[in-house]
Amino acid sequence: MEQIKQWTIDNPTLYSVVKYVLLVVFVFVLIQLVRRLLRKQVTDSTARYKSQKAIEIVGYVVLIFLTVSYFTGNIRDFTLAIGLFSAGVAITLQELILSIAGSLYIFVVKVYKPGDRIEINGIKGDVIDVDSIYTTMMEIGQWVSSDNYSGRIVKLSNSFVFKGPIYNYSSDFPFIWDEFNIPIKYGSNIELAKSIVIEIASKILSEYTANSKSQWQEVVNKYYIEDAQVDPTLAITLNDNWIQFNLRYIVDYKKRRLVKHMLNEEIHKVILETNREVELASTTLELIKIPELSVELKNNQTHANL
């Protein structure tokens, strides 16, 4: 014991560093213990995740506070120390500072949360984790068509929330509008075709339409935005090849591909049952008349005079 005391007297700087390291280790261990306790005690996954993130942020704040007070020796010098510290690392740790500030911004403003589907910096996917530095996403798209997972997990710096637009598919209003075109052949019963498409769309989309109406009204009340039609709508355009039906409808953002498949399959099935009263069109080339060709052959005889 006497040797340890003598060593601390002979090496005050080294002793101070060791004591600070032990203090930091103690704070980190305490954070992990509290997180583990919350993981076991809190059953709701959303509450468990948010509480663990809150403990992590509180731990960082406490650690910064203890660091400044430890090396300055006076709590009253906290503001001055923070100013000097910020000036010293502003350039070298700019990206890291932006990432930490971004994580606080995401948490406070609720830009997005785990479970949301977003597109940021050209990357689209479902958010599976948000920590103090990175947002982790399960990627959607790229070489995979439609809104399907590619299988890649993407880590994106939180600083990107300050650098560009963020498209959130699920915040406030977890529905999106989608549409597709149906080519109907000229000469078909247009009124019958319209009734088929609207009837099928209303039947398949009834649940999404009903659920979206109340939530869309909340969006209209919250933001400066005009009221929009959430029931399926049909627009008709005449072009050179066929009568184009454009079906526009609202759907859950996670069910877009499935619902489009169901609509196409059911509409095609019912149209086939109309016995050609309604026909789907396709790109064709029709030769109406072949021009007449007149070919005249002349035989020239050459007479040789001997």
Side-chain angles (χ1 to χ4, degrees), residues 71-141:
F71 286 104
T72 59
N74 193 335
I75 300 298
R76 289 176 297 179
D77 296 333
F78 181 78
T79 304
L80 176 61
I82 287 294
L84 295 174
F85 176 79
S86 300
V89 302
I91 297 177
T92 57
L93 299 180
Q94 181 179 9
E95 191 67 26
L96 178 62
I97 294 171
L98 279 175
S99 296
I100 296 174
S103 67
L104 293 174
Y105 178 75
I106 292 168
F107 180 77
V108 174
V109 183
K110 298 180 180 179
V111 181
Y112 53 79
K113 62 184 183 301
D116 284 356
R117 178 166 295 180
I118 66 170
E119 182 176 346
I120 180 173
N121 196 37
I123 300 172
K124 181 168 67 172
D126 289 344
V127 178
I128 57 178
D129 186 44
V130 181
D131 59 26
S132 56
I133 306 295
Y134 293 105
T135 292
T136 307
M137 300 165 57
M138 175 60 77
E139 185 187 48
I140 289 174

Side-chain angles (χ1 to χ4, degrees), residues 291-299:
E292 295 181 359
L293 297 177
S294 178
V295 179
E296 183 179 351
L297 299 176
K298 294 182 179 181
N299 294 325

Side-chain angles (χ1 to χ4, degrees), residues 106-262:
I106 292 168
F107 180 77
V108 174
V109 183
K110 298 180 180 179
V111 181
Y112 53 79
K113 62 184 183 301
D116 284 356
R117 178 166 295 180
I118 66 170
E119 182 176 346
I120 180 173
N121 196 37
I123 300 172
K124 181 168 67 172
D126 289 344
V127 178
I128 57 178
D129 186 44
V130 181
D131 59 26
S132 56
I133 306 295
Y134 293 105
T135 292
T136 307
M137 300 165 57
M138 175 60 77
E139 185 187 48
I140 289 174
Q142 296 300 326
W143 64 87
V144 181
S145 62
S146 193
D147 295 334
N148 293 320
Y149 288 146
S150 68
R152 296 192 301 189
I153 293 179
V154 182
K155 281 189 173 292
L156 194 69
S157 172
N158 290 335
S159 62
F160 280 107
V161 298
F162 301 121
K163 299 179 180 180
I166 302 168
Y167 304 97
N168 196 319
Y169 289 68
S170 48
S171 177
D172 292 328
F173 189 66
F175 298 92
I176 58 174
W177 276 272
D178 199 10
E179 62 180 27
F180 66 90
N181 297 321
I182 308 167
I184 301 297
K185 190 175 181 179
Y186 279 109
S188 298
N189 187 331
I190 301 303
E191 293 303 320
L192 177 59
K194 288 166 58 178
S195 64
I196 289 173
V197 174
I198 290 296
E199 183 179 348
I200 292 174
S202 299
K203 180 180 67 175
I204 294 178
L205 301 166
S206 59
E207 180 182 352
Y208 304 119
T209 303
N211 293 337
S212 65
K213 284 184 177 179
S214 59
Q215 296 191 49
W216 178 249
Q217 192 58 48
E218 293 179 5
V219 173
V220 172
N221 295 334
K222 181 177 180 180
Y223 300 103
Y224 186 73
I225 186 174
E226 66 173 290
D227 200 0
Q229 179 73 25
V230 297
D231 292 306
T233 58
L234 187 64
I236 297 177
T237 304
L238 304 179
N239 59 39
D240 294 338
N241 298 306
W242 52 68
I243 303 172
Q244 180 171 285
F245 281 23
N246 177 266
L247 178 63
R248 176 178 167 84
Y249 55 92
I250 204 165
V251 65
D252 188 300
Y253 71 95
K254 290 186 176 181
K255 303 291 181 64
R256 187 168 71 97
R257 182 171 182 265
L258 174 63
V259 169
K260 182 175 286 187
H261 163 74
M262 294 171 61

